[in-house]
Amino acid sequence: MATLIEQPRFSCALGAQQTVVAIKRAVPIVHAGPGCSVKIASLIGQGEGYAGGSTIPCTNASEQEIVFGGENRLRQVIEGAFQVIDADLFVVLTGCTSDIVGDDVGQVTREFQALGKPIVFAETGGFKSNNYVSHERVVRAIIEQYVERHAEPRQGKIKNMVNLFATIPYQDPFWNGNLIELKRILEGIGLQVNTLFGVDSAGIKEWLTIPHAEFNILISAWPGVDLVKSLQERYGTPYYHFPYLPIGGVETSRFLRGLVDFAQLDRDRAEAFIKKEEEKFYSYIERTADFLLEFRYGLPRRFYTILDATYATGFAKFLLNELGILPAKQYIIDDTPVEHQERIREQFRHISELRSAEVVFSIDGGLIQEEIGAEKPQHRSLILGSGWERDLAREIQADLLPVGPPLTYRLVLHCGYAGYNGGLRAIEDIYDRVLDTYK
Amino acid sequence: MSGCRVNVDAPEVAIREIRIGSITGFEGTAGQLVQCARAGKLRENKRTFSQCMGCSSGNAFCQLSMIQDAAMVNHAPVGCAGDFFAFNFVYRVGQMERKLPPVMGRYFSTNIEEKDTIFGAVQKLEATIREAYARVKPKAIFVTTSCASGIIGDDVESVTDRLSEELGIPVVACFCEGFKSKIWTTGFDSAYHAIVRKIVKPPRRKTNKINIINFWGSDVFTDLLGPLGYEPEYIVPFSTVEKLEHIAEAAATIQICPTLGSYLGAALEQVYGVPEIKAPLAYGLAGTDAWLRELGKVLGKAAEVESIIAAEKEKILPQLEAYRAKLQGKSAYVTAGAAHGHALLALLRELGLQVQGAAIFHHDPVYDNGDPRSDMLAHTVKTYGDIPNYNVCNKQAFELVNILHRVRPDLLIARHGGMTLWGAKLGIPTLLIGDEHLGFGYQGLLRYAERILETLDNREFVTNLAKHSTMPYTRWWLDQDPYTFLGGCAHGNVD
């Protein structure tokens, strides 16, 4: 089967430049052709950040570097970056040009590491993988080449400290808001949380404490699984894996209770927190239930998701179990490796106690739209997808909430859909769009 | 110079550096640059430190992706398709403005993966082209290349030739590998080369159409050309394959920006004899006068044009005086692409602003038509005097920040995304205008003046932003000469 992509929703391996941009005062140095960084930011950027976008140092490889190699050019740009850019960590990332011609980027970077400079490298030539995969590679590079060397040596773990690895910054447009809420609820049950990315993180200082965490939390369908496994091997840190984004009351409480069992945390304290949060969450739902039951002019009754596995599963469980919207076909667009597909299917097989949903794995948005369009849904539908779904939504008269990139038709600052607060926000956003269709 | 720079037999267009000697590094005054360029003494200076730029593939895509009944295949890893949606968004905004029904652009990535870099991705390309044809039934398919496809040596031209035959529509290769040129506008040339080689047909007859090579600007030409008996034909975005087939039948070609259309304008003239209007752009009074007169001459409507000039000028002069009075004593700095940037410099001087300098993305010493009358920067310098702090700089934000930090103009005018932030972070009111036609002609002067006043007046946002922003540039850098990494200006002496 051809692996062409119409309507791309993720980037190439070099897309992990945004992983670096998401770390406070960390800056990518891109050893690639001109244009790569700009295209990545164009799809998943959502703003320059501290030093992303047009600030990113880049070798802008030209014919000369292709023919004669680009190591000297890279050396110059790294030297310049240390002089010009005020940052705590630099991450050298390769692109197609340097990986095909075979520049020894590791060697160049090690020269600077030997001088004690805060710099690491990762091979992220565009063709090597996509940014779901390379995100993990870049995080590992930082841990193995920087944290490993600079972390304070210490006996034993810091009690109740955890590292949180969740959705991929920028590939998940709501990454920052999600981290804020996840940190809030984890603190609510008594943990001290390294979010590592975003405004609520202490930046590189926080990364240096990664080895001291008591355990790691991974909230993700499949990206990051190898990362937490490698940290278990490296630092003996056990991990708690929750395979989708917990949205709303049911799943957020399930997430927290699972964690309490896993880590044998103070159950009374956790239950007290969960009780208070659920009370608040359901008081809003209860207050609004009459709207959901009585609105006479039509609300969506079926939903399609065209999202990555972490989001698709999270939203499907939430929409069905807490809002009563039924799943139509679920499309997962993150190029899920085959070995993870069955576990994800299994989630949808038991999406509620009564129901299962059909899952299709495809990276070709054009094909997905053709399929949904041909179904001509009879009921008012809700599509959770991206900006690419605009015409499809109009064609089948569905309500569209863009959740995955390219987002373009909405601006995201600190909005998130994780947790109790994220669930409420999701309800607001969905019905805001639905009600807006009435003139 | 009138050497023919257009060779439609070659699959690839020669890059600008080679074809017309363009450069991306210069520091000096605008006058010095013009002199250097005229004397053939420009040479490329290399920056030892650099930040990310655009690439040819983006600019090629920018023109080809909005042809209404064509489909695009990007032969590349998926990351190169990162600009698909951004251009699709532009396309849809343009549809809205032109009252066209909203449709998605049909763009396909061949999704080159690791194994393809070893075994070649030609089969993948063929399969993608066939699938694009099956899904879209387009009138033409354009195939843009990438660094990866270029380095692994896929023979794209033979695939497109073969599939043209098989599918019965033009399947056209557009070579725009990012690493080939430092001047990303080379991508425009690649797109136009593809169109002239494989789409444009020899003229059957002359029409009353006038080609206007532009981006997505508003329609200002119907009003101008209508009274002269001509109709604008905007190319390339929003055109159709059939319209493009017949652009050689037009009475003339107008450049809205020779940085954009240098190659296409010259190609249509050199291959098919469509005259290109060779004059400074219609920005500022002198430029607009000269441009209109040249148009009148080419169309054989000199008398009509004189009366337009007289009437229009009479209309705007009192308003222009009023704006000049309000803008007196204000200073500005410009960052933009080449020809459009030169036009903005003329416009600002016409409005009476003091121009403190400019960071312009590249410099073409000559356009493909070889005619010095088209040299917009020379016109600006000659008409309005020299411009200090003239920096040719391919979108290097670190240099811009350094310069702005020193110069502190009252206003920053930017033409490209990613640059306005640096004015605003320093508390400088900053204006970016997307519509390249806004400043065009006599009326354009007034329209632009109005926007400038609005921007100067509206300081609250930037003042507050500046108070709270962080600066990723080191103190050390802000204290250096802005051209430290350019290694001094090595252009020849022209005394």
Side-chain angles (χ1 to χ4, degrees):
Chain A
M1 201 186 96
T3 56
L4 68 91
I5 300 178
E6 185 179 5
Q7 304 177 352
R9 290 139 203 273
F10 53 80
S11 188
C12 63
L14 185 55
Q17 73 171 35
Q18 296 301 120
T19 299
V20 181
V21 173
I23 303 170
K24 238 180 216 170
R25 291 178 51 81
V27 175
I29 295 175
V30 171
H31 184 33
C36 302
S37 280
V38 174
K39 287 183 176 211
I40 289 159
S42 170
L43 182 70
I44 57 175
Q46 292 256 325
E48 175 129 350
Y50 175 66
S54 57
T55 309
I56 295 177
C58 179
T59 53
N60 296 316
S62 66
E63 197 119 37
Q64 191 181 333
E65 284 82 44
I66 307 298
V67 178
F68 301 106
E71 289 165 22
N72 281 330
R73 172 89 192 114
L74 174 62
R75 210 168 271 126
Q76 283 180 334
V77 170
I78 293 174
E79 272 165 14
F82 277 113
Q83 291 177 296
V84 172
I85 310 276
D86 177 19
D88 294 339
L89 177 71
F90 291 92
V91 181
V92 179
L93 301 172
T94 56
C96 291
T97 53
S98 51
D99 278 0
I100 297 178
V101 305
D103 286 344
D104 192 347
V105 175
Q107 179 50 38
V108 175
T109 308
R110 279 189 289 272
E111 291 167 19
F112 290 91
Q113 287 173 341
L115 300 171
K117 300 277 189 189
I119 188 168
V120 306
F121 80 98
E123 275 189 16
T124 48
F127 56 83
K128 292 213 159 165
S129 65
N130 59 42
N131 56 323
Y132 283 104
V133 175
S134 64
H135 164 73
E136 184 165 335
R137 196 179 181 119
V138 168
V139 171
R140 282 177 74 160
I142 298 172
I143 293 171
E144 291 168 16
Q145 298 170 44
Y146 184 79
V147 173
E148 183 88 16
R149 282 171 211 195
H150 295 88
E152 296 271 322
R154 180 195 155 92
Q155 292 294 316
K157 303 289 187 186
I158 297 174
K159 180 124 184 74
N160 288 337
M161 183 193 266
V162 296
N163 301 314
L164 174 61
F165 299 98
T167 51
I168 295 172
Y170 290 97
Q171 176 62 36
D172 169 11
F174 307 93
W175 62 281
N176 208 135
N178 287 341
L179 288 177
I180 292 171
E181 170 73 354
L182 292 168
K183 182 172 182 163
R184 185 186 75 84
I185 59 174
L186 291 171
E187 285 176 351
I189 62 168
L191 297 171
Q192 184 194 336
V193 188
N194 290 332
T195 60
L196 308 173
F197 300 97
V199 296
D200 256 6
S201 155
I204 294 307
K205 232 180 14 216
E206 201 176 89
W207 282 70
L208 290 176
T209 65
I210 286 177
H212 312 320
E214 224 178 349
F215 55 96
N216 293 323
I217 299 172
L218 175 68
I219 299 174
S220 168
W222 60 270
V225 171
D226 290 344
L227 169 70
V228 287
K229 280 186 183 156
S230 80
L231 289 176
Q232 185 164 38
E233 278 167 31
R234 191 171 282 267
Y235 302 120
T237 321
Y239 64 89
Y240 171 62
H241 180 196
F242 196 77
Y244 50 89
L245 193 69
I247 304 174
V250 175
E251 296 304 332
T252 308
S253 297
R254 190 195 309 277
F255 163 70
L256 290 176
R257 289 195 174 109
L259 188 57
V260 169
D261 286 347
F262 166 84
Q264 303 192 335
L265 301 172
D266 180 342
R267 190 172 301 271
D268 294 342
R269 175 176 179 166
E271 283 302 331
F273 176 76
I274 290 171
K275 182 160 179 278
K276 210 171 103 213
E277 288 294 315
E278 284 192 351
E279 259 172 31
K280 274 192 289 181
F281 179 80
Y282 286 107
S283 75
Y284 289 109
I285 304 267
E286 189 186 1
R287 249 199 255 165
T288 318
D290 49 348
F291 159 72
L292 295 174
L293 293 163
E294 290 180 2
F295 187 76
R296 293 164 188 227
Y297 307 100
L299 295 176
R301 290 156 62 193
R302 280 183 201 269
F303 67 90
Y304 293 91
T305 56
I306 309 173
L307 296 172
D308 65 27
T310 306
Y311 260 89
T313 318
F315 260 106
K317 288 186 183 261
F318 174 66
L319 294 176
L320 174 60
N321 294 309
E322 305 217 46
L323 294 178
I325 311 176
L326 303 177
K329 233 186 227 176
Q330 308 298 303
Y331 293 90
I332 292 182
I333 49 74
D334 58 15
D335 204 8
T336 312
V338 179
E339 67 263 31
H340 295 292
Q341 291 184 0
E342 182 48 29
R343 261 193 314 110
I344 293 160
R345 280 212 173 83
E346 186 60 19
Q347 289 290 346
F348 282 95
R349 219 168 269 142
H350 304 289
I351 188 155
S352 78
E353 281 174 18
L354 307 173
R355 213 172 296 274
S356 56
E358 191 186 339
V359 185
V360 178
F361 292 91
S362 169
I363 53 174
D364 182 358
L367 206 61
I368 293 170
Q369 298 201 356
E370 230 167 73
E371 216 177 280
I372 297 176
E375 267 186 24
K376 298 204 190 338
Q378 297 302 305
H379 307 277
R380 181 165 179 165
S381 306
L382 169 68
I383 301 175
L384 298 170
S386 72
W388 285 118
E389 272 65 64
R390 208 127 165 118
D391 285 356
L392 173 68
R394 201 187 45 212
E395 191 189 315
I396 64 168
Q397 294 180 341
D399 300 295
L400 170 65
L401 182 68
V403 173
L407 215 55
T408 317
Y409 293 100
R410 57 185 300 200
L411 183 66
V412 179
L413 299 175
H414 83 319
C415 162
Y417 292 132
Y420 300 105
N421 288 335
L424 295 176
R425 177 66 196 250
I427 298 171
E428 288 172 345
D429 286 354
I430 289 166
Y431 290 103
D432 179 52
R433 305 221 163 205
V434 171
L435 292 174
D436 191 50
T437 60
Y438 295 96
K439 304 293 172 198
Chain B
M1 284 204 286
S2 60
C4 188
R5 295 182 176 82
V6 175
N7 173 11
V8 290
D9 295 329
E12 296 189 42
V13 69
I15 60 172
R16 276 195 193 198
E17 291 93 320
I18 290 170
R19 204 175 74 239
I20 50 183
S22 308
I23 56 139
T24 59
F26 177 87
E27 55 147 320
T29 74
Q32 287 167 342
L33 176 59
V34 170
Q35 268 189 309
C36 251
R38 285 288 166 75
K41 298 234 172 140
L42 281 188
R43 51 161 296 223
E44 181 69 321
N45 285 338
K46 280 196 177 153
R47 287 180 172 76
T48 50
F49 174 67
S50 56
Q51 293 168 313
C52 62
M53 320 188 300
C55 73
S56 292
S57 111
N59 286 44
F61 197 82
C62 144
Q63 290 286 303
L64 299 173
S65 63
M66 294 175 217
I67 299 169
Q68 288 189 47
D69 46 5
M72 299 288 303
V73 171
N74 179 219
H75 188 37
V78 66
C80 295
D83 54 2
F84 279 12
F85 197 81
F87 284 117
N88 176 62
F89 192 79
V90 174
Y91 185 31
R92 290 174 71 95
V93 171
Q95 291 163 358
M96 219 161 67
E97 284 170 353
R98 287 161 183 75
K99 310 242 179 321
L100 295 165
V103 287
M104 288 286 171
R106 301 301 298 268
Y107 317 140
F108 300 80
S109 165
T110 57
N111 187 22
I112 291 180
E113 295 165 299
E114 183 138 36
K115 60 180 185 297
D116 306 314
T117 64
I118 299 158
F119 301 110
V122 166
Q123 283 181 331
K124 223 169 180 175
L125 174 60
E126 288 188 20
T128 306
I129 293 170
R130 285 198 188 95
E131 183 63 21
Y133 182 75
R135 284 189 201 176
V136 186
K137 297 281 171 340
K139 296 279 166 49
I141 295 174
F142 292 95
V143 177
T144 50
T145 58
S146 63
C147 292
S149 73
I151 301 176
I152 64 176
D154 276 358
D155 186 354
V156 173
E157 177 79 357
S158 74
V159 171
T160 51
D161 282 350
R162 197 160 59 242
L163 280 157
S164 290
E165 196 120 319
E166 179 188 314
L167 302 175
I169 58 163
V171 178
V172 187
C174 169
F175 294 92
C176 51
E177 295 89 335
F179 65 82
K180 289 249 171 98
S181 175
K182 274 203 164 33
I183 300 166
W184 56 82
T185 49
T186 290
F188 296 136
D189 311 338
S190 307
Y192 299 145
H193 186 69
I195 289 170
V196 173
R197 278 186 84 214
K198 300 281 185 171
I199 303 289
V200 176
K201 293 182 172 164
R204 302 160 301 185
R205 58 192 149 79
K206 278 287 159 195
T207 64
N208 72 333
K209 299 263 168 79
I210 296 197
N211 295 323
I212 305 193
I213 307 170
N214 80 329
F215 293 95
W216 323 290
S218 52
D219 176 23
V220 299
F221 287 95
T222 300
D223 285 351
L224 173 71
L225 298 173
L228 300 173
Y230 291 90
E231 257 180 72
E233 179 84 279
Y234 291 103
I235 51 177
V236 166
F238 306 100
S239 190
T240 60
V241 172
E242 204 208 335
K243 279 188 179 171
L244 291 171
E245 283 173 0
H246 299 302
I247 56 177
E249 294 168 6
T253 301
I254 286 174
Q255 298 282 3
I256 195 64
C257 167
T259 290
L260 171 69
S262 171
Y263 190 80
L264 182 54
L268 289 173
E269 180 164 310
Q270 289 173 24
V271 181
Y272 294 115
V274 183
E276 180 193 354
I277 305 300
K278 300 177 196 74
L281 296 172
Y283 282 70
L285 292 180
T288 306
D289 290 352
W291 186 86
L292 278 170
R293 290 199 169 107
E294 179 64 18
L295 181 72
K297 203 158 76 190
V298 170
L299 299 180
K301 302 271 182 185
E304 289 91 330
V305 161
E306 285 307 324
S307 59
I308 290 176
I309 292 175
E312 285 283 315
K313 265 184 158 162
E314 197 187 309
K315 234 185 333 189
I316 70 139
L317 279 176
Q319 287 165 277
L320 184 58
E321 278 310 323
Y323 280 122
R324 280 176 179 153
K326 286 185 194 166
L327 291 168
Q328 202 188 10
K330 298 289 181 196
S331 63
Y333 189 89
V334 173
T335 176
H340 190 78
H342 306 155
L344 290 178
L345 294 172
L347 183 135
L348 292 172
R349 295 293 291 267
E350 186 73 64
L351 293 174
L353 283 109
Q354 180 206 341
V355 178
Q356 290 172 317
I360 301 295
F361 297 153
H362 78 284
H363 191 73
D364 302 316
V366 64
Y367 297 122
D368 287 282
N369 62 29
D371 193 317
R373 283 177 301 161
S374 304
D375 186 339
M376 189 64 204
L377 188 60
H379 160 81
T380 300
V381 170
K382 203 174 101 208
T383 313
Y384 301 99
D386 207 354
I387 311 269
N389 303 313
Y390 193 96
N391 177 17
V392 176
C393 151
N394 46 7
K395 213 174 172 180
Q396 299 298 303
F398 74 108
E399 289 184 3
L400 180 72
V401 171
N402 183 310
I403 293 164
L404 289 177
H405 186 67
R406 280 153 212 275
V407 175
R408 296 271 167 184
D410 295 319
L411 174 73
L412 171 66
I413 293 198
R415 165 74 184 145
H416 285 238
M419 305 304 268
T420 55
L421 187 60
W422 303 111
K425 278 193 170 195
L426 294 169
I428 301 164
T430 299
L431 174 63
L432 181 143
I433 287 178
D435 182 350
E436 72 275 13
H437 297 176
L438 189 92
F440 186 87
Y442 302 112
Q443 288 294 332
L445 272 169
L446 305 182
R447 285 192 293 260
Y448 226 99
E450 189 56 40
R451 292 295 301 275
I452 288 173
L453 279 174
E454 215 175 81
T455 309
L456 288 172
D457 182 45
N458 184 357
R459 306 189 60 95
E460 287 87 341
F461 172 66
V462 288
T463 307
N464 193 46
L465 179 68
K467 234 186 272 174
H468 299 283
S469 19
T470 54
M471 183 55 78
Y473 295 103
T474 57
R475 189 71 241 174
W476 176 88
W477 169 241
L478 296 178
D479 290 340
Q480 300 308 300
D481 179 289
Y483 313 109
T484 302
F485 290 94
L486 192 54
C489 199
H491 300 278
N493 225 332
V494 286
D495 293 333

